[in-house]
Amino acid sequence: MIKMLNNEIKTPIKARPSGNRFNAVIGIYTGMGTSHSWLWFVDIFERFGLLALRFLTERDIHEQALDHVDVLAVSGGDTFAVAQGMGERGAKELARFIRRGGLYIGSCAGAYLPLVSSKQHLNYFNFVPVKIGNLTKILPKAKQIPEKFCTPYGCSFVFHPVREEVRVRLNGCEPFDRGAGPVLAPLYGGPSLVVNGGSSEILAFYEGFTNKTVFLADRDIAHDTIIGKAAVVREKMGDGHLYLFGPHFEHPAYPEANQLVADVIAFETGAGRDVTGQSLKDDAKTIKGTEARQLLRNIKRELSNSRIVSIGLEMLPVRWMIGKKLYDPVKIRFFIESLWQRLLKLEKWDVLALPGGSDPRKLVVHASDVTLLSRAIKKRIDNGVDSTDLARQIFGRLNIVSTLFLEIYFKSKLLNGGIKHEL
């Protein structure tokens, strides 16, 4: 049983049963513009036994990889960079995917992406006729953390009056029909949404703040900007749907919210729905014995080295503005720790499954690059030299390393019988 972290909720929310629930293949976008938060989707999908995962970059989407998934999850990050990476070609593939019955789950940056916009690159993704409630031409004063307070948006600003935990109330419509809430979830720059008629359906709205809410603007301004606005919106597009989440319902520390994400997938890909039902084991090459142990030793060596350096980086007063997103060294170690904990599990399995046509040596090489870049960043910081270009490189490498590793991990987990869940 998953333990509840929120003392206000007395009983856990049980996952909606569905005969085909575990057959859905889920794509997670890991390409240009993404931050570490796509790993939150990985964590909760694994927790719910949703192990048929594919990790997709903008290039994969351009090459019609969406034809082989039932769900696409797009997490937080830099919305402008995501839109630029996917471009018009990616937008057309995404539209085709949804219209043929695909499910799009967008959180934070992923929620901004398909909203109506005239801005360059974003104008390719005008799928959902909903307005941004936290958009203003007259920017209020930031009380704290000014570097995370706002993002220029043409002649206006998208601003973030609060961060951390907010209280959300469900409206009781399917698939959020377990009750009227409240549910807690963290807000890290996600939108408040304004729905004025049309086809968009409000599934949840911002109800209030908690003692964990961090106010970046005056409390009255925060209240007027967020409270009463839509927090989760559902939009029909052809035979498919988009679900837009302002708060991070996928954050692993909020299991009640996590279960609502699982409910969406179960509801939209459940019994009677046409899912691909593909096995990710079909194209896998297996290795075992000495070959498997040697590969894991090589990976472990590089992850261990990177882990040591990343801990040291966390002690240094440095942040990097990459595109329109602020990054800090904590996010480097978040990637590494996510892989490290799973590596310890891989070491206990008898057989490893490798993606068909893949070369596991590339994973070791890219992991080695992460170590070298970490050391180079530390050296520059120690010498008072700007390291933004190296930070941009290391986050790109971390996405690649994580993708390559997790492909092996989940294929191997499926090969070894997956896991049993009590939900």
Side-chain angles (χ1 to χ4, degrees):
M1 180 68 70
I2 299 173
K3 295 181 179 179
M4 298 294 105
L5 301 184
N6 171 20
N7 293 328
E8 293 183 13
I9 296 179
K10 305 301 181 183
T11 57
I13 303 172
K14 292 185 179 295
R16 183 188 304 274
S18 168
N20 290 345
R21 179 174 173 224
F22 298 107
N23 290 337
V25 178
I26 301 174
I28 300 176
Y29 180 66
T30 64
M32 183 174 171
T34 54
S35 70
H36 68 295
S37 61
W38 66 264
L39 289 167
W40 293 343
F41 274 122
V42 175
D43 289 345
I44 70 163
F45 291 154
E46 182 175 11
R47 181 191 301 169
F48 282 101
L50 297 165
L51 305 180
L53 303 181
R54 293 186 183 272
F55 304 94
L56 308 178
T57 66
E58 63 276 11
R59 180 177 178 180
D60 296 320
I61 291 174
H62 293 166
E63 295 175 355
Q64 301 184 333
L66 293 179
D67 288 350
H68 306 291
V69 302
D70 306 293
V71 182
L72 178 66
V74 181
S75 67
D78 183 343
T79 311
F80 294 93
V82 174
Q84 181 180 352
M86 287 197 191
E88 185 175 12
R89 184 175 175 182
K92 289 179 178 178
E93 285 297 317
L94 182 56
R96 186 170 68 87
F97 161 74
I98 299 168
R99 289 194 178 104
R100 69 169 174 79
L103 170 61
Y104 176 90
I105 297 177
S107 176
C108 195
Y112 284 109
L113 181 67
L115 300 180
V116 172
S117 175
S118 60
K119 302 299 178 287
Q120 186 180 21
H121 306 301
L122 289 171
N123 59 351
Y124 299 133
F125 299 85
N126 288 336
F127 302 158
V128 181
V130 169
K131 295 183 178 180
I132 301 172
N134 51 312
L135 182 67
T136 183
K137 289 185 178 294
I138 303 174
L139 191 65
K141 183 179 180 180
K143 293 178 62 177
Q144 57 180 322
I145 323 180
E147 63 273 15
K148 292 184 179 291
F149 182 59
C150 68
T151 301
Y153 189 86
C155 298
S156 302
F157 299 89
V158 174
F159 77 109
H160 315 297
V162 302
R163 287 178 65 81
E164 301 297 341
E165 189 177 89
V166 294
R167 190 169 68 250
V168 173
R169 182 165 293 276
L170 313 181
N171 69 359
C173 296
E174 287 186 316
F176 291 179
D177 55 349
R178 300 183 181 279
V183 172
L184 304 181
L187 187 63
Y188 297 121
S192 64
L193 301 166
V194 179
V195 178
N196 293 317
S199 58
S200 301
E201 179 183 8
I202 300 174
L203 297 181
F205 59 89
Y206 294 99
E207 183 185 58
F209 306 122
T210 77
N211 59 6
K212 295 182 180 179
T213 305
V214 176
F215 289 88
L216 275 59
D218 180 82
R219 191 180 184 111
D220 289 339
I221 292 174
H223 183 280
D224 293 344
T225 304
I226 294 175
I227 303 306
K229 305 293 196 306
V232 183
V233 168
R234 179 177 187 251
E235 176 75 20
K236 183 174 174 58
M237 183 173 172
D239 292 330
H241 287 91
L242 302 94
Y243 284 75
L244 309 185
F245 291 81
H248 284 281
F249 273 49
E250 79 281 13
H251 193 294
Y254 291 83
E256 301 91 347
N258 300 165
Q259 290 175 11
L260 292 170
V261 176
D263 275 357
V264 168
I265 295 172
F267 179 73
E268 295 292 347
T269 66
R273 303 301 178 94
D274 181 20
V275 297
T276 66
Q278 296 181 28
S279 168
L280 298 193
K281 297 183 287 185
D282 293 345
D283 63 347
K285 169 190 173 184
T286 60
I287 60 173
K288 58 184 178 179
T290 302
E291 186 178 6
R293 289 193 295 272
Q294 184 61 52
L295 173 60
L296 293 179
R297 276 198 296 269
N298 291 339
I299 297 171
K300 190 171 188 177
R301 179 186 65 248
E302 296 304 335
L303 286 182
S304 178
N305 291 338
S306 298
R307 201 165 173 241
I308 293 168
V309 181
S310 68
I311 292 172
L313 286 176
E314 284 187 37
M315 306 297 178
L316 302 176
V318 62
R319 290 178 174 178
W320 306 283
M321 183 61 72
I322 301 174
K324 296 182 182 295
K325 185 77 174 178
L326 190 69
Y327 292 80
D328 55 52
V330 174
K331 292 181 174 63
I332 296 176
R333 192 153 77 95
F334 185 89
F335 276 97
I336 296 169
E337 289 297 329
S338 178
L339 305 187
W340 183 261
Q341 296 305 317
R342 290 180 169 91
L343 177 64
L344 300 181
K345 296 178 183 179
L346 272 179
E347 290 180 318
K348 298 177 182 178
W349 299 343
D350 296 328
V351 183
L352 301 185
L354 308 179
S358 69
D359 182 354
R361 290 174 297 182
K362 289 183 179 179
L363 170 55
V364 178
V365 170
H366 286 301
S368 176
D369 288 344
V370 169
T371 302
L372 294 174
L373 285 166
S374 298
R375 289 171 176 162
I377 288 172
K378 186 177 186 309
K379 184 176 180 180
R380 283 203 188 177
I381 295 171
D382 290 343
N383 292 330
V385 179
D386 181 68
S387 56
T388 303
D389 60 327
L390 298 182
R392 185 180 296 107
Q393 292 180 50
I394 199 170
F395 283 110
R397 285 291 195 283
L398 285 166
N399 270 339
I400 294 171
V401 169
S402 299
T403 295
L404 293 173
F405 177 89
L406 290 170
E407 285 176 344
I408 294 173
Y409 174 81
F410 282 102
K411 284 182 179 290
S412 298
K413 192 161 192 174
L414 285 167
L415 183 69
N416 286 274
I419 53 177
K420 294 181 179 180
H421 283 266
E422 181 186 3
L423 295 176

